[in-house]
Amino acid sequence: MERKTKVSAEEDKPYLTIMRAFDLPVELLFRAYAEAELVEQWMGTKVLKLESRKHGSYQFETADPQGNVLFKANGTIHEYLPNQKIVRTFEMENATFDVQLEFLEFEKLTEDTSKLTMQVIYRSAQARDENLKLPFAYGVNMAHNRLEEILSKLK
Amino acid sequence: MNLRRDVFQAIADPTRRAILMLVAAHAMTAGAIAANFDTARPTVSRHLQILTECELLTQEQNGREIYYHLNPQKMKEIADFIEPFRNMWDDRFNKLETIMKTYKTK
């Protein structure tokens, strides 16, 4: 299946852009970001708090099936224009990464389609690259864990 | 021109991905590459042009023939970092789309 998401990350720049067209009216796309129970479903994280308004803040928490917290994040909403724009900060807790700034722009393409452009700004180009590598590192880890699992069964 | 963005457009096409796989094995001429596809020769030429413009392929003149090489540096960049990142977001967004489609009818 072809990937619909585009990521643009120019070399030596502290930002990156994620773009995606959706088969959804812009109102529904926006709701997926504005309502806690919807964010929980597609992000696969627990939403402890989500105040969808200017000066509002949010807190996410992801735990494994045993209840161990794997990931905690929070941020503040700086701009909130329904069906148009969200500007917010994002901070991973207990991580070595500094807070990042996110500009989310929601655009109506047709009555039933829409587009999201997400620009993420990091403290430095180096920090950007490290963040970019996370899913890769995670994938390698997963493969490694799986390998260990298989090997341990062979013993 | 935003080169990086072009790279993603370049690898979004299945024929172009197939070309990269072919050239990864060894440098080839446009004619030899085209022989692997049912696609018209000018279409293959266009694909080669796009892949060259975004530096995934490099050209080397050898006598009267131009050989296409894979630029491993460029390929490595994509394969190592951006692809897993993009896939992560793509999976999330696919989920978002599926979930929100059920709200469409409500």
Side-chain angles (χ1 to χ4, degrees):
Chain A
M1 197 181 70
E2 211 156 286
R3 295 284 186 178
K4 291 180 174 175
T5 306
K6 290 188 167 52
V7 174
S8 162
E10 286 175 65
E11 211 165 334
D12 301 326
K13 295 280 182 2
Y15 57 81
L16 59 83
T17 310
I18 303 166
M19 285 157 291
R20 160 85 181 217
F22 289 89
D23 216 3
L24 294 169
V26 72
E27 294 78 14
L28 279 182
L29 173 60
F30 192 84
R31 272 184 65 188
Y33 273 87
E35 296 176 23
E37 68 268 33
L38 295 174
V39 173
E40 285 196 334
Q41 287 181 56
W42 73 268
M43 285 275 293
T45 186
K46 205 167 154 189
V47 177
L48 301 179
K49 176 169 132 182
L50 177 60
E51 301 163 328
S52 288
R53 56 175 168 81
K54 191 179 172 77
H55 303 152
S57 66
Y58 67 88
Q59 269 181 297
F60 298 157
E61 190 181 280
T62 308
D64 66 13
Q66 286 74 45
N68 304 310
V69 175
L70 301 172
F71 167 88
K72 268 178 106 136
N74 72 83
T76 305
I77 297 162
H78 289 245
E79 201 175 348
Y80 187 83
L81 298 170
N83 306 325
Q84 290 177 47
K85 196 177 180 186
I86 296 173
V87 180
R88 66 184 188 189
T89 55
F90 175 92
E91 181 186 23
M92 237 186 281
E93 291 171 32
N94 304 317
T96 49
F97 300 111
D98 277 309
V99 64
Q100 65 199 45
L101 180 60
E102 302 181 343
F103 292 83
L104 284 78
E105 278 161 303
F106 302 80
E107 211 180 309
K108 174 182 171 175
L109 295 177
T110 66
E111 287 302 322
D112 294 314
T113 59
S114 52
K115 187 180 154 191
L116 171 68
T117 307
M118 186 172 167
Q119 194 190 9
V120 186
I121 301 168
Y122 301 87
R123 193 172 177 184
S124 65
Q126 198 197 347
R128 194 268 323 250
D129 290 347
E130 278 166 21
N131 268 275
L132 197 59
K133 288 172 190 173
L134 278 183
F136 169 73
Y138 184 70
V140 169
N141 237 337
M142 290 288 282
H144 186 73
N145 289 345
R146 174 130 182 75
L147 189 68
E148 281 192 328
E149 203 178 293
I150 294 164
L151 290 175
S152 67
K153 279 178 192 157
L154 289 175
K155 275 175 199 165
Chain B
M1 187 172 67
N2 186 336
L3 285 175
R4 225 38 81 83
R5 192 175 303 176
D6 287 352
V7 167
F8 295 114
Q9 283 166 1
I11 58 171
D13 182 275
T15 308
R16 288 199 287 271
R17 283 202 297 268
I19 292 174
L20 292 173
M21 297 294 274
L22 274 175
V23 180
H26 52 86
M28 290 168 90
T29 63
I33 293 166
N36 288 279
F37 299 95
D38 293 331
T39 329
R41 178 72 190 267
T43 311
V44 173
S45 299
R46 176 78 192 126
H47 285 316
L48 290 174
Q49 193 193 330
I50 292 167
L51 290 168
T52 308
E53 276 170 6
C54 66
E55 299 171 346
L56 284 168
L57 292 182
T58 50
Q59 292 176 325
E60 189 201 1
Q61 188 87 36
N62 192 336
R64 279 167 54 194
E65 301 276 22
I66 292 170
Y67 282 83
Y68 287 89
H69 293 260
L70 190 71
N71 181 354
Q73 196 52 48
K74 203 77 179 178
M75 288 300 293
K76 197 173 178 298
E77 254 167 42
I78 300 164
D80 285 2
F81 311 125
I82 300 181
E83 272 304 287
F85 184 82
R86 181 167 84 116
N87 292 347
M88 178 191 77
W89 279 100
D90 203 52
D91 291 342
R92 273 185 192 165
F93 288 149
N94 285 341
K95 211 165 166 189
L96 185 161
E97 201 170 59
T98 308
I99 290 164
M100 294 315 290
K101 270 183 182 168
T102 66
Y103 285 80
K104 215 170 179 174
T105 47
K106 285 175 194 172

